[in-house]
Amino acid sequence: MKPDTKENRQFRILSALGIIFVVAGHLGYDVFTVGGLFPYYSFHVFIFLFVSGYFYKEEAEEDMAGYIWGKCVTLLFPYFLWNLFYGVAAQVLRRTGLSFGEELSFRTLFLLPFSSGHQFLYNFSAWFVPALFLVEVINVLMRKVLGLLRLKNECLILAGCLIAGMAAIYLAIGGHVWGIYKLPGRLLLMLPGFQMGRFL
């Protein structure tokens, strides 16, 4: 760690709580939900989006290619290695008669992570990583365009993201966020969480 780098302990604790809530939610524990008043799925993904948005730096808009490449290195490459590991494990187990997930292919390795993330079944919780990458890319591109149009205003961006998130929820309630619409629905739902971190 560099000597001039300060650790943000509050956000480290918030991230740790987010991890606990994700694990507890997937295991079915509701001890922290206050009698079901605050179900984990209503906020645990937003914790990580909020943290990501909080640490976004406007300098990224000056070197978007470098920023996006950095996100590829920190988010996508580790995800694809993890996905490959699971894909190979699924293939080996398939040969022993234990079948789960889909066959190892270009589609399951590189396309399905963005459209569903459930290609090898047991690594499905990692769907968040490619989606977060896309949210980060959308955010920097949106901010660059709004800056060129002289419309870059945090309140305006937050309002637009909230409207997008509410639209995604409305469409999801009607059963429309599925199939090819799953990824756009996820992204629209995730944008407000990221922007709330920026707004703080």
Side-chain angles (χ1 to χ4, degrees):
M1 185 180 281
K2 296 178 183 177
D4 61 342
T5 300
K6 286 187 177 180
E7 178 185 10
N8 190 315
R9 290 185 181 173
Q10 292 88 347
F11 274 80
R12 190 170 286 259
I13 291 168
L14 182 61
S15 297
L17 287 172
I19 292 168
I20 291 168
F21 292 142
V22 167
V23 172
H26 281 92
L27 292 176
Y29 297 127
D30 62 354
V31 68
F32 301 114
T33 64
V34 191
L37 188 60
F38 300 104
Y40 301 123
Y41 293 104
S42 66
F43 65 87
H44 66 32
V45 168
F46 282 90
I47 289 175
F48 299 107
L49 293 164
F50 182 85
V51 170
S52 298
Y54 181 83
F55 287 107
Y56 172 80
K57 293 182 174 56
E58 288 192 358
E59 298 81 53
E61 294 151 41
E62 304 305 317
D63 180 20
M64 289 198 306
Y67 175 78
I68 293 171
W69 174 252
K71 292 299 172 184
C72 285
V73 170
T74 57
L75 292 173
L76 280 191
F77 295 164
Y79 173 85
F80 284 132
L81 285 173
W82 190 244
N83 193 44
L84 177 63
F85 167 78
Y86 264 94
V88 170
Q91 287 299 111
V92 170
L93 291 171
R94 192 178 287 274
R95 291 174 190 264
T96 66
L98 180 61
S99 180
F100 63 88
E102 298 190 33
E103 292 279 351
L104 190 65
S105 67
F106 179 83
R107 179 175 165 270
T108 55
L109 287 175
F110 299 108
L111 300 180
L112 287 183
F114 290 101
S115 62
S116 75
H118 297 174
Q119 60 278 3
F120 299 126
L121 193 61
Y122 290 111
N123 71 334
F124 73 91
S125 57
W127 69 263
F128 178 77
V129 178
L132 176 61
F133 169 78
L134 292 176
V135 166
E136 297 261 14
V137 171
I138 290 168
N139 173 68
V140 73
L141 292 174
M142 172 182 65
R143 288 173 174 280
K144 184 68 173 180
V145 169
L146 289 174
L148 293 172
L149 297 173
R150 300 185 187 280
L151 293 172
K152 192 169 84 168
N153 176 286
E154 293 302 326
C155 291
L156 178 66
I157 297 171
L158 179 61
C161 289
L162 286 172
I163 290 168
M166 288 187 285
I169 292 170
Y170 175 78
L171 292 169
I173 290 170
H176 304 295
V177 181
W178 203 251
I180 61 171
Y181 301 109
K182 192 174 201 175
L183 178 62
R186 280 179 176 170
L187 297 178
L188 291 175
L189 186 64
M190 292 169 75
L191 281 169
F194 191 92
Q195 177 55 24
M196 285 177 192
R198 286 295 306 136
F199 197 73
L200 184 69

